[in-house]
Amino acid sequence: MVATLAGKTIVVVGGSSGIGYGVAKSSLLSQVAHVVVVSQTKEKAERTVQRLQQEVAAEVAAAPEGTLLPVKGTVSGDFLDAHDLASVRAFCERV
């Protein structure tokens, strides 16, 4: 049996660039229910959410019919300073 993340919520720390961004984007395309992108600042997280929404919508629209399911999941952004335990605790309480 293959495990699936469909219907789940995932938190991607460092999701605003690089591998983390790729994980967030592919998760949305894989029918994950909700993706929380975590960055060092709220502004960076918000920009990333907008970029993800635009890119995922464009990919789904450009895909040949039947090759990509419509994205049902949502994405939100949050922030934390991983070097600051108080910031990590505050993030955990928000999520």
Side-chain angles (χ1 to χ4, degrees):
M1 175 180 220
V2 176
T4 178
L5 294 176
K8 304 291 184 184
T9 296
I10 67 166
V11 176
V12 183
V13 178
S16 59
S17 64
I19 293 171
Y21 184 84
V23 168
K25 186 175 178 180
S26 65
S27 296
L28 285 169
L29 290 167
S30 299
Q31 304 303 311
V32 169
H34 186 68
V35 176
V36 180
V37 176
V38 183
S39 298
Q40 291 179 333
T41 66
K42 185 175 183 177
E43 294 77 21
K44 194 172 186 180
E46 290 172 352
R47 284 193 308 269
T48 301
V49 167
Q50 290 175 347
R51 183 174 153 211
L52 278 167
Q53 290 170 331
Q54 292 169 350
E55 288 184 13
V56 167
E59 277 195 39
V60 171
E65 188 173 330
T67 59
L68 282 178
L69 294 173
V71 174
K72 297 177 185 175
T74 57
V75 60
S76 65
D78 211 320
F79 63 96
L80 68 83
D81 178 354
H83 297 104
D84 179 4
L85 186 56
S87 176
V88 173
R89 286 183 174 149
F91 168 78
C92 291
E93 288 177 16
R94 288 192 303 273
V95 176

